[in-house]
Amino acid sequence: MATVLVIDDNQAICTALRVLFSLRNIDTHCASSPEEGLAALARESFDLVVQDMNFSADTTSGDEGVVLFRRIRESHPELPVILLTAWTHLETAVELVRAGAADYLAKPWNDNKLLTTAENLIALGDATREQRRLRDARARERDRLAEKHDLCGLIYASDAMHQIASIAAQVAHADVPVLITGPNGAGKEKIADIIQANSAVRDGPYIKVNVGALPAELMESELFGAEAGAYTSATRSRAGRFEAADGGTLFLDEIGELPLDGQVKLLRVLQTGEFSRLGSNETRRVRVRIVSATNGDLNAAIKAGKFREDLYYRLNVIELAVPPLAERREDILPLARALLASGAVLSRAAEDALTAYGWPGNVRELQNRLARAKLLAREQAIAVADLGLPASQVEPEREAIEATLNRTEWVIAEAAEQLGLSRQALYRRIEKYGLQRG
């Protein structure tokens, strides 16, 4: 059963709230003074505090309520507090909400609104504790994984990336090809690094080839080598990337860009370990672990006749799909803080903007925007303007927030939960966009 602490020197209000909360199976403990309330908090655990703003008959300033709230925040920073306020200190209550209070209700309060707000805050607290438990469990799993395997400095907090990193480390010792899929800039190369670092050939060569960046006429010679005179500019014999990677790992990025004739030769290497340099009939043999990556749809390429199906199944013994950054928002701030390791910090508004942005360019775009912000920031804390995010990302958020606030009748806790924001983050956005209750 949830428990609410009511701190109010008016016994009638305590009785009324006890009866009201009992209708929703919420237990109520009453304290008639700030000192009694703080003592109760020191002894017992509560899910919510409802506190009055005024405890002296000779003043209506609300100063006692301000002091009480700040002491509660100091001792119990995550405990939600609802302020009960008279119109004379409504402005003070608003300031305290911006400082972290969950919400305020003017006396006389609306029973339905108070109950809804209280239930939402209690549910939000339960969800927050569960999220913290899961986050702590993930952190322990991440630490154990990092102790057993080399994660090559991978920064993440999401379940999705933990699963990918775990599988990458697990399959690293198996001598089978791995295909890494995902959008540009999402971190496919980092996953390839983890596979190499934990493989049986980690002490061997690790050769990376961006297939998409190779000119079509040089593709075959770059991969398989060429003899002198094999083509106009081939003045001497040269080894290709396969020979360079012998005894190690060859990472073929943008594998979908490989021409069909190169695909035939690659398939032969995967099947037999044998190939010939361009312009030579001599068969060469190598032992190379193949890791490939693509940001394209190879199944669609197969249907279009641009990619060989038999090669696809050779490359795709194990597939690791790296999701875009927008689908793993838990990773955004840990990545940002790691990228700003030189001492620059993010303002709270900048953190909110980073987590709200869609990141079409994924981690690479995050890295570039933070590098820009570090150069342009006038203060130690990076501001939203320093990030250079497109203005088009701002207006839809404003509209979504305003619509949610109106739909929930400005019940802040409920609106924040629906928007996936903390209450403090929602209040910062309300202030930023100049939103007002109609």
Side-chain angles (χ1 to χ4, degrees):
M1 178 183 290
T3 306
V4 174
L5 173 63
V6 175
I7 309 176
D8 198 303
D9 58 356
N10 187 325
Q11 187 60 42
I13 287 179
C14 288
T15 300
L17 289 177
R18 179 180 281 117
V19 172
L20 181 64
F21 285 133
S22 68
L23 298 176
R24 301 294 174 88
N25 199 32
I26 299 173
D27 191 26
T28 305
H29 180 103
C30 290
S32 60
S33 69
E35 293 73 20
E36 187 180 337
L38 292 169
L41 285 170
R43 290 192 313 267
E44 303 176 45
S45 176
F46 296 94
D47 299 289
L48 173 67
V49 172
V50 178
Q51 71 151 87
D52 191 19
M53 287 293 294
N54 204 72
F55 294 90
S56 299
D58 58 348
T59 179
T60 58
S61 66
D63 290 346
E64 303 93 338
V66 172
V67 172
L68 173 60
F69 170 75
R70 297 198 184 283
R71 291 186 66 182
I72 293 174
R73 293 297 289 175
E74 288 175 4
S75 59
H76 297 76
E78 296 185 358
L79 181 62
V81 178
I82 295 177
L83 307 172
L84 291 181
T85 175
W87 68 269
T88 49
H89 32 83
L90 184 60
E91 185 175 336
T92 301
V94 172
E95 290 301 319
L96 291 185
V97 165
R98 289 173 178 164
D103 210 340
Y104 67 86
L105 295 174
K107 294 179 180 179
W109 62 82
N110 178 289
D111 284 350
N112 287 332
K113 181 175 181 181
L114 176 55
L115 284 174
T116 299
T117 301
E119 287 184 314
N120 285 337
L121 288 170
I122 291 169
L124 188 60
D126 291 340
T128 299
R129 285 187 288 274
E130 178 62 12
Q131 288 174 353
R132 185 183 301 110
R133 186 190 68 78
L134 293 173
R135 185 172 63 247
D136 291 344
R138 283 198 300 267
R140 289 191 295 271
E141 290 178 5
R142 186 169 63 245
D143 291 342
R144 285 194 292 267
L145 184 65
E147 288 174 4
K148 293 174 59 178
H149 304 282
D150 182 358
L151 298 186
C152 301
L154 180 68
I155 304 295
Y156 68 91
S158 64
D159 288 338
M161 287 306 292
H162 180 72
Q163 182 177 14
I164 290 170
S166 299
I167 296 174
Q170 181 180 348
V171 304
H173 278 279
D175 188 16
V176 295
V178 177
L179 176 64
I180 307 170
T181 60
N184 281 336
K188 298 188 294 296
E189 185 175 341
K190 180 67 74 174
I191 300 303
D193 294 344
I194 293 173
I195 294 171
Q196 159 63 13
N198 295 278
S199 71
V201 294
R202 59 183 172 273
D203 295 326
Y206 181 30
I207 306 299
K208 299 180 179 181
V209 184
N210 186 335
V211 177
L214 295 177
E217 64 274 12
L218 297 178
M219 187 83 68
E220 189 172 347
S221 64
E222 286 290 329
L223 292 177
F224 307 110
E227 295 296 340
Y231 53 90
T232 304
S233 59
T235 58
R236 58 184 178 84
S237 297
R238 59 186 298 272
R241 307 297 178 89
F242 268 90
E243 287 181 72
D246 192 15
T249 298
L250 179 62
F251 175 50
L252 299 173
D253 199 6
E254 297 189 33
I255 189 64
E257 301 299 319
L258 187 64
L260 286 170
D261 53 352
Q263 293 178 31
V264 173
K265 205 161 187 178
L266 175 58
L267 179 62
R268 181 190 175 201
V269 179
L270 293 176
Q271 290 173 330
T272 67
E274 298 177 346
F275 68 96
S276 299
R277 288 182 178 177
L278 188 65
S280 171
N281 292 323
E282 179 185 352
T283 298
R284 298 176 182 272
R285 173 172 286 275
V286 291
R287 184 172 182 82
V288 175
R289 169 74 175 276
I290 298 293
V291 178
S292 54
T294 180
N295 64 353
D297 185 345
L298 293 186
N299 284 303
I302 291 170
K303 291 178 182 178
K306 296 180 179 180
F307 202 86
R308 293 181 61 96
E309 187 174 20
D310 49 4
L311 175 58
Y312 172 75
Y313 287 115
R314 278 285 179 177
L315 294 172
N316 191 19
V317 177
I318 299 291
E319 180 177 351
L320 295 174
V322 181
L325 188 56
E327 293 181 9
R328 45 187 176 99
R329 294 189 180 277
E330 308 98 306
D331 295 340
I332 293 173
L333 291 183
L335 280 166
R337 290 168 185 144
L339 292 168
L340 291 173
S342 62
V345 296
L346 293 161
S347 67
R348 292 296 299 272
E351 289 185 348
D352 292 342
L354 289 177
T355 53
Y357 182 55
W359 298 111
N362 296 291
V363 179
R364 190 173 300 143
E365 182 185 2
L366 175 63
Q367 184 176 16
N368 292 340
R369 290 196 180 278
L370 290 175
R372 173 189 187 275
K374 286 169 66 175
L375 292 174
L376 297 180
R378 296 180 179 180
E379 306 292 338
Q380 182 180 4
I382 290 173
V384 175
D386 301 325
L387 298 170
L389 298 175
S392 59
Q393 295 288 327
V394 176
E395 290 305 313
E397 185 190 48
R398 176 190 172 119
E399 294 170 3
I401 289 174
E402 191 166 25
T404 303
L405 286 168
N406 292 333
R407 184 172 60 251
T408 60
E409 297 183 339
W410 281 71
V411 176
I412 297 299
E414 185 177 355
E417 182 179 12
Q418 291 186 18
L419 289 164
L421 300 171
S422 68
R423 296 185 302 277
Q424 290 74 21
L426 178 54
Y427 277 114
R428 286 195 296 272
R429 282 168 166 78
I430 291 172
E431 185 174 11
K432 172 184 175 182
Y433 298 138
L435 301 178
Q436 294 182 347
R437 186 171 185 173

